[in-house]
């Protein structure tokens, strides 16, 4: 094989298998360091999970490829729980805002009583779900009204609440008796 064949073969490398075949065919190639870099790049691009990128990082500790971004992406994608997202926020940054939003949504979905709604609103005073949480709190407080005083307190607390008309009607009816 002459020099042109080696260069042409090198220029036609499109896969990791091409690299390995090239290295076998041209063991003392003038392109050996470039082929080694191509192998590293192909292996990097084949990483599709957090575990694979960690293995790659251990294999190529001096890699100049953007391992940090891939670690960040895969770490974010692997989050399942609120604690996972909180740990992600501590460790990484690329998807931090999205992680905060997901945590807020997950916490909102866990709200199932008055206390949890109050805590949620306290933790997320400007959050995306604040209005929904307040509406749920309005419903709970109205549903818990049993006496004339309860309905009057409801109106004081929720002057523009969802159940203002009903509460006023109940109060008016009670006063008639």
């Amino acid at each position: 094989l002459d020099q042109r064949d080696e260069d042409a073969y090198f220029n036609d490398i499109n896969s990791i298998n091409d690299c390995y075949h090239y290295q076998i065919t041209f063991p003392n190639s003038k392109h050996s360091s470039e082929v080694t870099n191509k192998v590293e790049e192909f292996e990097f691009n084949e990483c599709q999970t957090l575990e694979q990128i960690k293995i790659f990082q251990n294999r190529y500790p001096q890699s100049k490829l953007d391992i940090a971004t891939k670690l960040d992406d895969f770490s974010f994608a692997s989050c399942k729980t609120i604690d996972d997202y909180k740990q992600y926020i501590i460790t990484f940054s690329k998807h931090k805002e999205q992680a905060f939003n997901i945590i807020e949504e997950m916490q909102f979905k866990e709200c199932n009583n008055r206390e949890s709604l109050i805590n949620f609103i306290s933790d997320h005073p400007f959050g995306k779900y604040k209005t929904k949480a307040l509406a749920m709190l309005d419903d709970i407080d109205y549903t818990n009204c049993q006496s004339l005083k309860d309905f009057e307190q409801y109106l004081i607390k929720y002057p523009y609440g969802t159940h203002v008309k009903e509460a006023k009607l109940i109060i008016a009816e009670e006063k008639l008796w």
Side-chain angles (χ1 to χ4, degrees):
L1 294 174
D2 66 13
Q3 187 65 34
R4 286 174 292 154
D5 291 331
E6 181 180 343
D7 290 340
Y9 199 103
F10 174 76
N11 291 331
D12 288 340
I13 291 177
N14 292 315
S15 71
I16 198 164
N17 286 335
D18 290 346
C19 291
Y20 294 145
H21 191 268
Y22 178 88
Q23 288 172 326
I24 291 168
T25 307
F26 305 102
N28 299 317
S29 167
K30 66 179 184 177
H31 300 291
S32 61
S33 67
E34 294 168 271
V35 172
T36 301
N37 290 340
K38 282 187 179 222
V39 168
E40 180 181 339
E41 189 173 338
F42 284 125
E43 285 185 20
F44 177 77
N45 291 334
E46 287 178 1
C47 292
Q48 297 300 315
T49 66
L50 184 58
E51 184 177 317
Q52 289 173 342
I53 196 66
K54 286 181 177 179
I55 291 168
F56 176 87
Q57 188 176 30
N58 288 336
R59 186 169 180 180
Y60 299 99
Q62 304 300 320
S63 181
K64 304 244 186 293
L65 299 172
D66 192 4
I67 296 171
T69 297
K70 243 186 187 180
L71 271 173
D72 192 316
D73 290 342
F74 290 144
S75 294
F76 179 75
S78 72
C79 292
K80 303 284 186 257
T81 66
I82 290 171
D83 287 338
D84 291 343
Y85 285 105
K86 285 180 177 179
Q87 187 58 48
Y88 169 84
I89 289 167
I90 291 168
T91 310
F92 298 100
S93 63
K94 182 177 176 188
H95 305 283
K96 191 176 273 191
E97 185 175 337
Q98 192 175 354
F100 277 120
N101 291 337
I102 291 169
I103 289 169
E104 179 185 357
E105 180 180 8
M106 291 173 85
Q107 288 174 335
F108 176 71
K109 287 179 179 179
E110 289 178 354
C111 292
N112 57 9
N113 59 42
R114 187 174 201 288
E115 183 181 347
S116 62
L117 286 165
I118 290 169
N119 289 336
F120 176 81
I121 293 165
S122 175
D123 290 344
H124 304 281
F126 305 105
K128 178 179 179 181
Y129 298 94
K130 179 184 177 185
T131 303
K132 287 181 181 180
L134 288 169
M136 289 171 67
L137 204 53
D138 177 335
D139 290 340
I140 289 170
D141 286 350
Y142 176 77
T143 304
N144 289 337
C145 290
Q146 295 179 357
S147 68
L148 183 62
K149 185 177 179 181
D150 292 341
F151 286 105
E152 288 170 343
Q153 289 298 319
Y154 171 83
L155 290 175
I156 291 168
K157 191 169 187 177
Y158 301 100
Y160 304 104
T162 308
H163 307 283
V164 168
K165 287 181 183 178
E166 298 102 309
K168 285 181 178 179
L169 184 62
I170 291 169
I171 291 169
E173 288 175 0
E174 286 291 321
K175 288 186 177 179
L176 286 176
W177 294 97

